[in-house]
Amino acid sequence: MLSSTITNANSLTSLSSIAHTTAIFLHQPIDSPLRLFLRRRSNPISAIINPSPSPLAAKQQVYQPFRPPPSPLPPQYRSLDTEGKLNVLSNRLGLWFQYAPLISSLLQEGFTPPTLEEITGISGVQQNTFVVGAQVRESLVQSNDSDPDVIASFDTSGAELLYEIRLLSTEKRVAAAKYIVENRLDSKGAQDLARAIKDFPRRKGDRGWECFDYDSAGDCLAYMYYRLSREYNNSSERRTAALEEALKVVVTEKARNLIVGDLERKGDGKDGVEEETGAGVRVPVVRLKIGEVAEATKVVVMPVCKAGEGEKGVGEAPMEVRSEGDFGVVVAEKGWSRWVVLPGWEPVAGLVKGGGVVVAFKDARVLPWRVNRWYKEEPILVVADRSRKEVVAGDGFYLMGGTVGGGDGGGELKVERGNALTEMGVKESLGTVVLVVRPPKEMEDDQLSDEDWD
């Protein structure tokens, strides 16, 4: 009885303590430390010990190579295991575009291109060609404008051809694929066609551009040949050959008349650049396109000096620049701070032996012919051959110092006509001008829209 009484007394004491604590809590301010402490939720306690990663495992996780997501597999290949996929590729069981997605699938599983080449016999280049070609073909299949017969023409051996048009939008891929089939182009022809279509919008504003139709694949290719012809001298056989190639593929009548007109003017003392820049001009004027240097099979590295540096800058620029070894390492006779890389066009290809120099002008008003609107809007590069200093051609153009016909050669450099120098009695220049280069120009309408990216 006494024990029970003591227990009840203890219980009453505990309840009293709890009530007192509750009363204290209820009378605390909302943001009091006690309320915040009691309100805080306790974190669960876990008995699991997370082992620290071993140094070897951490080292292996430093680099994770990118694995492209596998393309949807054709129904007949979806149930195959890894060995079955390798067997299909090794024995070419199916059409190329059917087993091409297996390559992406195996790469996703951890295989590398060299490993697949060793197992299946398909080189790394072929693997890439098959995968990309299959994706291009699928974009043609999904397009509403594609002709099923055209697509079927690529079923047996069309991976290389479709690979070449990969950079075009879906709309232009359809037109290019149709042109390739109708004209039986090979891989090189398909590559030229794709480049011509891709490059055409960038040439807006160049001579003759408005005569060609961008919606015609043949006209785009013809304009590429027409532009190529303007890089050669009027009497050059290469110029005539380029114009004849343009005439073979041109479609629209307006463009055909332009090409025929240039062919008929052959040998009459005029050239393609003359009509744009003024009578008697004998130097090509070309616009460098975006990516042209990267796509060129041959390039030329030349020293650059500013026009304001005058005759001294031209004289101090390295005379000899050559490439050595298997890697074509560029070596100059002395150090120089400014260089430019140009495609190996015919006018500059011969300057690799020495003597070439590039002069940078702020605008083209320095050129001694009719001033066009673009002269005041963009800088130019003038390529000169310092090994040909003698003024021998009245219709040629020569690089001169700021003071022509005397003085110390100070001041900005100039470009002068040969006949003007002859009248002043000047017999020697700083070099013969062989080419004028205009800068690349981006065109907004040349950009692919989001729906055109595959």
Side-chain angles (χ1 to χ4, degrees), residues 274-309:
E274 174 185 338
E275 292 186 3
E276 179 181 356
T277 56
V281 175
R282 301 290 181 179
V283 56
V285 179
V286 297
R287 181 186 290 279
L288 186 67
K289 68 178 182 180
I290 298 175
E292 188 170 6
V293 174
E295 297 175 355
T297 57
K298 182 179 180 181
V299 297
V300 177
V301 181
M302 302 182 67
V304 180
C305 65
K306 296 180 180 180
E309 295 175 353

Coordinates of all heavy atoms in Angstrom, one line a residue, residues 274-309:
E274 N 37.0 42.6 -114.0 CA 37.0 43.9 -114.6 C 35.7 44.6 -114.5 O 35.6 45.8 -114.1 CB 37.4 43.8 -116.1 CG 37.4 45.1 -116.8 CD 37.7 44.9 -118.3 OE1 38.3 43.9 -118.6 OE2 37.2 45.8 -119.1
E275 N 34.6 44.0 -114.7 CA 33.3 44.6 -114.7 C 32.9 45.1 -113.3 O 32.2 46.0 -113.2 CB 32.3 43.7 -115.3 CG 32.4 43.4 -116.7 CD 31.3 42.5 -117.3 OE1 30.4 42.2 -116.5 OE2 31.4 42.1 -118.4
E276 N 33.4 44.5 -112.3 CA 33.1 44.9 -111.0 C 34.0 46.0 -110.5 O 33.5 46.8 -109.7 CB 33.2 43.6 -110.0 CG 32.9 44.0 -108.6 CD 33.1 42.7 -107.7 OE1 33.4 41.7 -108.2 OE2 32.9 42.9 -106.5
T277 N 35.2 46.1 -110.9 CA 36.1 47.0 -110.3 C 36.6 48.1 -111.2 O 37.2 49.0 -110.8 CB 37.4 46.2 -109.8 OG1 37.9 45.5 -110.9 CG2 37.0 45.3 -108.7
G278 N 36.3 48.0 -112.5 CA 36.7 49.1 -113.4 C 37.5 48.5 -114.6 O 38.0 47.4 -114.5
A279 N 37.6 49.3 -115.6 CA 38.3 48.9 -116.8 C 39.7 48.6 -116.6 O 40.4 49.4 -116.0 CB 38.1 49.9 -117.9
G280 N 40.2 47.5 -117.2 CA 41.7 47.2 -117.2 C 42.2 46.6 -116.0 O 43.4 46.3 -115.9
V281 N 41.4 46.2 -115.0 CA 41.9 45.6 -113.8 C 42.3 44.2 -114.1 O 41.6 43.4 -114.7 CB 40.8 45.6 -112.7 CG1 41.3 44.8 -111.4 CG2 40.4 47.0 -112.3
R282 N 43.6 43.8 -113.6 CA 44.1 42.5 -113.9 C 44.4 41.7 -112.6 O 45.4 41.0 -112.6 CB 45.4 42.7 -114.7 CG 45.2 43.4 -116.0 CD 44.4 42.5 -117.0 NE 44.3 43.2 -118.3 CZ 43.6 42.7 -119.3 NH1 43.1 41.5 -119.2 NH2 43.5 43.3 -120.5
V283 N 43.7 41.9 -111.6 CA 44.0 41.2 -110.3 C 42.7 40.7 -109.8 O 41.6 41.3 -109.8 CB 44.6 42.2 -109.3 CG1 43.7 43.4 -109.1 CG2 44.9 41.5 -108.0
P284 N 42.7 39.4 -109.4 CA 41.4 38.8 -108.8 C 41.0 39.4 -107.5 O 41.9 39.7 -106.6 CB 41.8 37.3 -108.7 CG 43.0 37.1 -109.5 CD 43.8 38.4 -109.5
V285 N 39.8 39.6 -107.3 CA 39.2 40.0 -106.0 C 38.3 38.9 -105.5 O 37.2 38.7 -106.2 CB 38.5 41.4 -106.1 CG1 37.9 41.8 -104.8 CG2 39.4 42.4 -106.7
V286 N 38.6 38.3 -104.4 CA 37.8 37.2 -103.9 C 37.4 37.4 -102.5 O 38.1 38.1 -101.7 CB 38.6 35.8 -104.0 CG1 38.9 35.5 -105.5 CG2 39.9 35.9 -103.2
R287 N 36.3 36.9 -102.1 CA 35.8 36.9 -100.7 C 36.1 35.6 -100.0 O 35.7 34.5 -100.5 CB 34.4 37.3 -100.6 CG 33.9 37.4 -99.1 CD 32.4 37.5 -99.0 NE 32.0 38.9 -99.4 CZ 32.0 40.0 -98.7 NH1 32.6 39.9 -97.5 NH2 31.6 41.1 -99.1
L288 N 36.8 35.6 -98.9 CA 37.1 34.4 -98.2 C 35.8 33.9 -97.5 O 35.2 34.7 -96.8 CB 38.2 34.6 -97.2 CG 38.7 33.4 -96.4 CD1 39.5 32.5 -97.3 CD2 39.7 33.9 -95.3
K289 N 35.5 32.7 -97.7 CA 34.2 32.2 -97.0 C 34.6 31.6 -95.7 O 35.7 31.1 -95.4 CB 33.5 31.2 -97.9 CG 34.2 29.9 -98.1 CD 33.4 29.0 -99.0 CE 34.1 27.6 -99.2 NZ 33.4 26.7 -100.0
I290 N 33.6 31.5 -94.8 CA 33.7 30.9 -93.5 C 34.0 29.4 -93.6 O 33.3 28.7 -94.3 CB 32.5 31.2 -92.6 CG1 32.3 32.7 -92.4 CG2 32.6 30.5 -91.3 CD1 31.0 33.0 -91.7
G291 N 35.1 29.0 -93.0 CA 35.4 27.6 -93.1 C 36.2 27.1 -94.3 O 36.5 26.0 -94.4
E292 N 36.5 28.1 -95.2 CA 37.2 27.7 -96.4 C 38.6 27.3 -96.2 O 39.1 26.4 -96.8 CB 37.2 28.9 -97.4 CG 37.7 28.6 -98.8 CD 37.4 29.7 -99.8 OE1 37.0 30.8 -99.4 OE2 37.7 29.5 -101.0
V293 N 39.3 27.9 -95.2 CA 40.6 27.5 -94.9 C 40.6 26.1 -94.3 O 41.5 25.3 -94.6 CB 41.3 28.5 -93.9 CG1 42.6 28.0 -93.5 CG2 41.4 29.9 -94.6
A294 N 39.7 25.8 -93.4 CA 39.6 24.5 -92.8 C 39.3 23.4 -93.8 O 39.8 22.2 -93.7 CB 38.6 24.5 -91.7
E295 N 38.6 23.7 -94.9 CA 38.2 22.7 -95.9 C 39.2 22.6 -97.0 O 39.1 21.6 -97.8 CB 36.8 23.0 -96.5 CG 35.7 23.0 -95.4 CD 34.4 23.5 -96.0 OE1 34.4 23.9 -97.2 OE2 33.3 23.4 -95.4
A296 N 40.1 23.5 -97.1 CA 41.1 23.5 -98.2 C 42.1 22.3 -98.0 O 42.5 22.0 -96.9 CB 41.9 24.8 -98.2
T297 N 42.4 21.7 -99.2 CA 43.4 20.6 -99.1 C 44.8 21.1 -99.1 O 45.7 20.4 -98.8 CB 43.2 19.7 -100.4 OG1 43.3 20.5 -101.6 CG2 41.8 19.1 -100.4
K298 N 45.0 22.4 -99.5 CA 46.3 23.0 -99.5 C 46.2 24.4 -99.0 O 45.3 25.2 -99.5 CB 46.9 23.0 -100.8 CG 48.4 23.5 -100.9 CD 48.9 23.4 -102.3 CE 50.3 24.0 -102.4 NZ 50.9 24.0 -103.8
V299 N 47.0 24.9 -98.1 CA 47.0 26.2 -97.6 C 48.4 26.9 -97.7 O 49.4 26.2 -97.9 CB 46.5 26.3 -96.1 CG1 45.1 25.7 -95.9 CG2 47.5 25.5 -95.2
V300 N 48.4 28.2 -97.6 CA 49.6 29.0 -97.7 C 49.7 29.9 -96.4 O 48.7 30.6 -96.1 CB 49.6 29.8 -99.0 CG1 50.9 30.7 -99.0 CG2 49.6 28.9 -100.2
V301 N 50.8 29.9 -95.7 CA 51.0 30.7 -94.6 C 51.9 31.9 -95.0 O 53.0 31.7 -95.5 CB 51.7 29.9 -93.4 CG1 51.8 30.8 -92.2 CG2 50.8 28.7 -93.0
M302 N 51.4 33.1 -94.8 CA 52.2 34.3 -95.2 C 52.3 35.3 -94.1 O 51.3 35.5 -93.3 CB 51.5 34.9 -96.5 CG 51.3 33.9 -97.6 SD 50.6 34.7 -99.1 CE 51.8 35.9 -99.5
P303 N 53.4 36.1 -94.1 CA 53.5 37.2 -93.1 C 52.6 38.4 -93.5 O 52.4 38.6 -94.7 CB 55.0 37.6 -93.2 CG 55.4 37.2 -94.6 CD 54.6 36.0 -95.0
V304 N 52.2 39.1 -92.5 CA 51.2 40.2 -92.6 C 51.9 41.5 -92.0 O 52.4 41.4 -90.9 CB 49.9 39.9 -92.0 CG1 48.9 41.1 -92.2 CG2 49.3 38.7 -92.5
C305 N 51.8 42.6 -92.7 CA 52.2 43.9 -92.2 C 51.0 44.9 -92.4 O 50.2 44.7 -93.3 CB 53.5 44.4 -92.8 SG 53.4 44.7 -94.6
K306 N 51.0 45.9 -91.5 CA 49.9 46.9 -91.6 C 50.3 47.9 -92.7 O 51.5 48.2 -92.8 CB 49.6 47.5 -90.3 CG 49.1 46.5 -89.2 CD 48.9 47.3 -87.9 CE 48.3 46.3 -86.9 NZ 48.1 47.0 -85.6
A307 N 49.3 48.5 -93.3 CA 49.6 49.5 -94.3 C 50.3 50.7 -93.7 O 51.2 51.4 -94.3 CB 48.3 50.0 -94.9
G308 N 50.0 51.0 -92.4 CA 50.7 52.2 -91.8 C 52.2 52.0 -91.5 O 52.9 52.9 -91.2
E309 N 52.6 50.7 -91.6 CA 54.1 50.5 -91.3 C 54.9 50.8 -92.5 O 56.2 50.9 -92.3 CB 54.2 49.0 -90.9 CG 53.6 48.6 -89.7 CD 53.7 47.1 -89.4 OE1 54.2 46.4 -90.3 OE2 53.3 46.6 -88.3

